[in-house]
Structure formats: C-alpha cells, structure tokens
Amino acid sequence: MARIRHSMAALALMTILGGAPALAGGFLGAYEDLPLAPGLTEAVEAGVAFDSPSGRIVEAYAQGRVKAADVLKFYAATLPQLGWTRESDTLYRREAETLRLDPVVKGGALTLRFAISPE
C-alpha cells in the first residue's frame, strides 16, 4: 500500500510540474520513486539493490557537472512531496527507511551516492 501511495505521489509531482526541468533527469532505476536532480545521470552499473529480512537496501550513484548545493536544494524541495522527512541536508526518513545523500565533487564533476536502508 505504501509503495502505491509513493508511486502516486511521484506521478502527481510529475503532473504538477508538467515536465519542468526539475524532473528532466527522470527517476532512479534502482528505486522507482526517487527522482534524479536536473543535470544528473544515473550510473546504473554502479548501483545495487536487494531485499533483506529487515527491508530494502539500495545503493545508487548519479553523476553530472552540477553544483552540490543545487542538487541538495532540489532534494530538499522535492523529497518532502514524496513523503520523505528532512532530518538534514543529506538525511531523510520515510516510514521505516532512511535515505542518505552523499555528494562528492572531484575534478568539477559531482558524484551523488544514494543509500537507502531500513532503520
């Protein structure tokens, strides 16, 4: 039921923004209702996702030549609309899951690590 609710929230967000640049990156393949910030492309081969007895564990990566501050601002505005509660710039919680965003800038390119795990 929660997955359906989150998918519907993602669909509503896409409808409201109507293809605006904020959703130009689409969504993570490893986690269907987590949007990619504008300018990021998922590194599909680098991610991993599996179910554990205590819940789903996902690690995904996205890269792009964007500012970390802009990406974190995008997630601060977008994730609460999808049911995530912001704990800090890089930590969010939803139901029994924790999402950590780990931005690393190297050579002018940003790599963002998404880590989702059960609480």
Side-chain angles (χ1 to χ4, degrees):
M1 186 67 169
R3 183 174 281 182
I4 292 170
R5 186 175 70 241
H6 298 306
S7 294
M8 291 192 66
L11 181 59
L13 179 61
M14 288 187 325
T15 302
I16 291 168
L17 296 177
L23 293 177
F27 289 81
L28 283 175
Y31 197 87
E32 66 280 347
D33 68 343
L34 192 59
L36 282 171
L40 293 182
T41 302
E42 184 175 8
V44 178
E45 69 285 351
V48 64
F50 60 92
D51 289 321
S52 74
S54 58
R56 186 166 39 170
I57 297 173
V58 177
E59 186 169 305
Y61 295 86
Q63 303 164 327
R65 292 203 167 272
V66 294
K67 294 179 182 178
D70 291 342
V71 169
L72 294 176
K73 184 177 177 182
F74 169 84
Y75 287 110
T78 304
L79 292 176
Q81 296 177 47
L82 298 172
W84 293 95
T85 301
R86 183 175 180 266
E87 299 285 322
S88 72
D89 286 347
T90 59
L91 178 64
Y92 294 83
R93 297 185 194 283
R94 180 171 73 184
E95 297 175 12
E97 291 183 316
T98 299
L99 166 63
R100 293 185 189 281
L101 303 174
D102 183 21
V104 175
V105 178
K106 189 182 259 187
L110 172 74
T111 298
L112 182 64
R113 176 180 169 260
F114 301 86
I116 299 167
S117 60
E119 287 197 22

